[in-house]
């Protein structure tokens, strides 16, 4: 029998430190994405439709490091990665190093649905997008003043882009369970600040940037990609759940292992088939929001958990007091 806790959707806006002046933007962004995706689930829509909707909205929001607002590589260019996974069939689709596309997650979904492959990269991904009728956008239209400013700062000889990014991430992701008990995840990112040209991170790698399995649950991750990949963080957390741990304990022990074993910080959102969910992080902050039983939950700092009725007219734009 299906749980009365369904449907549920959880969204994150990246692990790290959100500068004070961007806190409200980040929290209202994840809240409105969760609210919109929840509307899809309540209307009987699928978990895949819900996670792609949430992540598309966050890609279109310049406050996050995905789609418009993506961080720049060392050449001042954008190369984005995205992943979706369907927990019913274990089908997945991903794109890496894509440049001229506003919504890499939608392209990742097409890779899953329309090709026999799991990941397309760079020029091949662009050709596929063209064949699917996805409009090309100029890379400049995805670059914000903020991302250009951070790129320039990190070109200085004494800069440490990885340290700097541990301060200010903004990768986005969503996990959901629909009324039929189907589970899905989606994750999208511009990657790491001033990364090498051609660098591909954890996000499009199944098991690292995300994983979904109707029998266990789903996870979407964020944090330093090179360390997330070393512990295959998303699959590690689901493994912990298979061993009987709760969504919260499994997420915390996955993040703790990543910290102790490879000195990495990050964040995750996790659901199980009953609709239990968690938003956990070892970084200073992670903007997150969840929608379940007509209640919107959200937070930014460790230990924070605000709630309000989803139908509250203010609910999609809560006043976050930094
Ligand atoms: N995991 C992403 C990457 O390494 C970055 C992030 O989550 O902020 O590409």
């Amino acid at each position: 029998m299906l749980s009365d806790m369904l449907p549920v959707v959880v969204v994150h806006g990246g692990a790290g430190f959100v500068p004070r002046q961007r806190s409200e933007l980040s929290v209202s962004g994840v809240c409105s994405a969760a609210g919109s995706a929840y509307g899809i689930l309540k209307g009987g829509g699928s978990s895949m439709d819900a996670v792609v909707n949430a992540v598309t909205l966050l890609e279109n929001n310049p406050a996050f490091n995905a789609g418009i607002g993506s961080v720049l590589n060392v050449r001042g260019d954008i190369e984005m990665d995205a992943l979706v996974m369907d927990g019913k069939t274990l089908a997945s689709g991903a794109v890496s190093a894509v440049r001229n596309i506003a919504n890499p997650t939608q392209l990742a979904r097409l890779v899953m649905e329309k090709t026999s492959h799991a990941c397309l990269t760079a020029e091949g991904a662009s050709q596929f997008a063209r064949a699917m009728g996805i409009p090309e956008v100029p890379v400049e239209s995805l670059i914000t003043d903020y991302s250009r400013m951070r790129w320039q700062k990190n070109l200085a000889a004494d800069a440490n882009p990885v340290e700097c990014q541990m301060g200010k991430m903004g990768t986005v992701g969503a996990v959901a369970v629909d009324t039929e008990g189907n589970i899905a995840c989606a994750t999208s990112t511009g990657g790491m600040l001033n990364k090498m040209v051609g660098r591909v991170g954890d996000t499009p790698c199944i098991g690292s940037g995300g994983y979904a399995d109707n029998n266990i649950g789903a996870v979407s991750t964020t944090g330093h990609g090179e360390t997330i990949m070393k512990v295959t963080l998303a699959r590690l957390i689901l493994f912990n759940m298979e061993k009987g741990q709760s969504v919260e304990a499994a997420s915390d022990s996955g993040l703790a292992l990543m910290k102790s074993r490879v000195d990495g910080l990050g964040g995750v959102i996790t659901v199980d088939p009953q609709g239990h969910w968690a938003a956990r992080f070892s970084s200073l902050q992670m903007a997150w929001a969840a929608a379940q039983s007509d209640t919107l939950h959200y937070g930014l700092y460790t230990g924070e958990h605000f709630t309000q009725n989803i139908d509250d007219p203010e609910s999609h734009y809560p006043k976050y007091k930094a």
Side-chain angles (χ1 to χ4, degrees):
M1 209 184 78
L2 284 174
S3 152
D4 57 7
M5 292 161 75
L6 301 181
V8 61
V9 57
V10 194
V11 168
H12 73 73
F17 165 74
V18 181
R20 190 165 278 257
Q21 64 278 18
R22 292 172 78 88
S23 317
E24 199 172 316
L25 273 180
S26 300
V27 174
S28 65
V30 288
C31 285
S32 58
S36 168
Y38 185 68
I40 291 177
L41 294 171
K42 281 275 280 186
S46 70
S47 51
M48 181 55 70
D49 283 345
V51 294
V52 170
N53 170 263
V55 171
T56 297
L57 289 172
L58 295 168
E59 286 172 342
N60 293 344
N61 185 331
F64 299 97
N65 171 19
I68 182 167
S70 286
V71 300
L72 307 188
N73 68 16
V74 70
R75 217 192 263 159
D77 198 0
I78 278 185
E79 289 184 321
M80 300 170 289
D81 302 331
L83 168 76
V84 298
M85 185 162 180
D86 178 344
K88 187 177 182 182
T89 59
L90 303 191
S92 66
V95 291
S96 66
V98 292
R99 301 176 63 249
N100 299 95
I101 283 142
N103 297 112
T105 305
Q106 293 182 8
L107 188 58
R109 183 178 185 171
L110 287 170
V111 170
M112 177 180 77
E113 289 174 347
K114 307 279 186 210
T115 80
S116 55
H117 302 308
C119 183
L120 289 178
T121 194
E123 181 47 30
S126 299
Q127 273 175 26
F128 173 65
R130 254 173 260 135
M132 290 287 110
I134 294 195
E136 278 195 358
V137 297
V139 174
E140 298 70 50
S141 69
L142 302 174
I143 299 180
T144 59
D145 291 345
Y146 185 68
S147 56
R148 204 184 296 280
M149 179 273 287
R150 292 172 69 203
W151 166 69
Q152 253 154 7
K153 255 183 151 171
N154 279 295
L155 289 176
D158 59 349
N160 184 342
V162 172
E163 254 325 289
C164 172
Q165 176 143 345
M166 289 316 285
K168 301 168 188 81
M169 293 187 184
T171 291
V172 302
V175 290
V177 193
D178 61 31
T179 47
E180 292 184 6
N182 288 316
I183 302 182
C185 70
T187 312
S188 181
T189 188
M192 295 298 288
L193 259 178
N194 295 50
K195 62 189 180 182
M196 287 173 71
V197 175
R199 178 265 189 187
V200 174
D202 60 305
T203 300
C205 299
I206 174 173
S208 289
Y211 201 88
D213 182 341
N214 276 10
N215 296 333
I216 319 166
V219 179
S220 167
T221 69
T222 169
H224 183 230
E226 282 71 6
T227 47
I228 288 176
M229 284 191 274
K230 286 179 183 160
V231 299
T232 53
L233 184 60
R235 194 62 187 77
L236 171 65
I237 289 168
L238 291 174
F239 173 78
N240 292 339
M241 286 160 65
E242 283 179 293
K243 296 276 163 256
Q245 290 187 13
S246 68
V247 283
E248 207 158 87
S251 303
D252 284 347
S253 47
L255 288 165
L257 183 109
M258 180 166 130
K259 187 149 193 279
S260 62
R261 186 73 177 83
V262 290
D263 198 22
L265 298 178
V268 298
I269 47 175
T270 307
V271 285
D272 74 9
Q274 287 73 46
H276 299 107
W277 60 272
R280 311 291 294 173
F281 47 99
S282 52
S283 54
L284 219 65
Q285 290 161 302
M286 180 178 80
W288 63 269
Q292 180 176 52
S293 309
D294 294 336
T295 304
L296 184 70
H297 306 253
Y298 58 95
L300 179 63
Y301 288 87
T302 306
E304 269 183 357
H305 188 154
F306 301 108
T307 53
Q308 61 193 81
N309 192 299
I310 203 121
D311 292 327
D312 184 329
E314 280 285 295
S315 67
H316 292 183
Y317 300 97
K319 284 279 160 282
Y320 185 80
K321 289 172 195 59

